Amino acid sequence: FRTFFDALDGIVARERLGIKNFVSLQSTSGFLVDATADTFGFSAFLFGCYIYLRRNIPKKRYNNHQYLPLQVQEGSPTAFKPSTTTFTITQYIPPKLMWTTKQVFFVVLCFAFQLGISAFFWNRYVESYHQLLESTPNSAAQAKLQNEVLRSSIMWVLMWFWRISNAHSLMQMLLLAVFVNRLWEFLTWIQYIGFLEILTLSFFTEIHLNDVESYIHRMG
């Protein structure tokens, strides 16, 4: 419901202002309120995940009956009868902790940083591409160039990658992991891969944005 109403308030705000395009209204107070609400909402959810994981720290167990053997020697060795050796189970080995509370906090913090980085670049590129491709063209030639760029394959590839890499999509993945009881597995899997994917996508998007901007200004 939070995600639904988060999307609904933006739709209502743009409709009241008569804006048909999807664009972040960064100069309005509504954008600040929305960003603040998202920050507190995501922070509260991640804090809840940390509390849950701290109380249920993943453990590593080799098997259900791990014991420490004790070597016992029976009888006196002779030339014709060597000593016999047996192993007697004497001590139970408890499960070994793989993670500490500090490590759990660091894993959750990494995901929080990924959300912040993704949100920052998402807002930047939505605004930049809007100004570049959806602004009123100065000539028919510039309008043709805008349509050409917007219909290009690389543009759609970047848009679809951002569609699954923005902060809200990452939060949906986290909710799905909670639903299937794989929260810890998801957080440890995305801990470093997430940074690599977001920063790589931002790098290529920045290159594409600069090239497209130069192309339109040069040819238009």
Side-chain angles (χ1 to χ4, degrees), residues 187-208:
L187 289 176
T188 52
W189 172 77
I190 204 173
Q191 181 180 5
Y192 299 113
I193 294 178
F195 284 111
L196 179 62
E197 192 272 339
I198 293 172
L199 293 177
T200 302
L201 179 58
S202 301
F203 173 75
F204 283 109
T205 306
E206 189 71 30
I207 293 177
H208 180 261

Side-chain angles (χ1 to χ4, degrees), residues 59-122:
K59 300 178 177 64
K60 182 177 181 181
R61 188 192 300 267
Y62 293 99
N63 55 52
N64 294 329
H65 302 285
Q66 184 78 11
Y67 293 92
L68 180 66
L70 176 66
Q71 189 176 27
V72 179
Q73 192 175 59
E74 296 179 349
S76 300
T78 64
F80 303 98
K81 183 181 178 182
S83 62
T84 59
T85 303
T86 61
F87 292 91
T88 304
I89 296 174
T90 58
Q91 183 179 357
Y92 175 71
I93 300 178
K96 179 183 178 182
L97 289 177
M98 291 184 63
W99 307 92
T100 65
T101 55
K102 291 183 179 180
Q103 290 173 322
V104 171
F105 177 78
F106 179 72
V107 171
V108 177
L109 185 64
C110 285
F111 187 73
F113 274 118
Q114 291 174 22
L115 292 177
I117 295 172
S118 177
F120 171 79
F121 284 113
W122 167 266

Side-chain angles (χ1 to χ4, degrees), residues 9-23 25 28 130:
D9 69 343
I11 295 174
V12 172
R14 284 187 289 270
E15 184 66 25
R16 293 185 61 183
L17 294 175
I19 300 175
K20 302 300 181 182
N21 299 326
F22 179 83
V23 57
L25 306 175
T28 63
H130 168 71

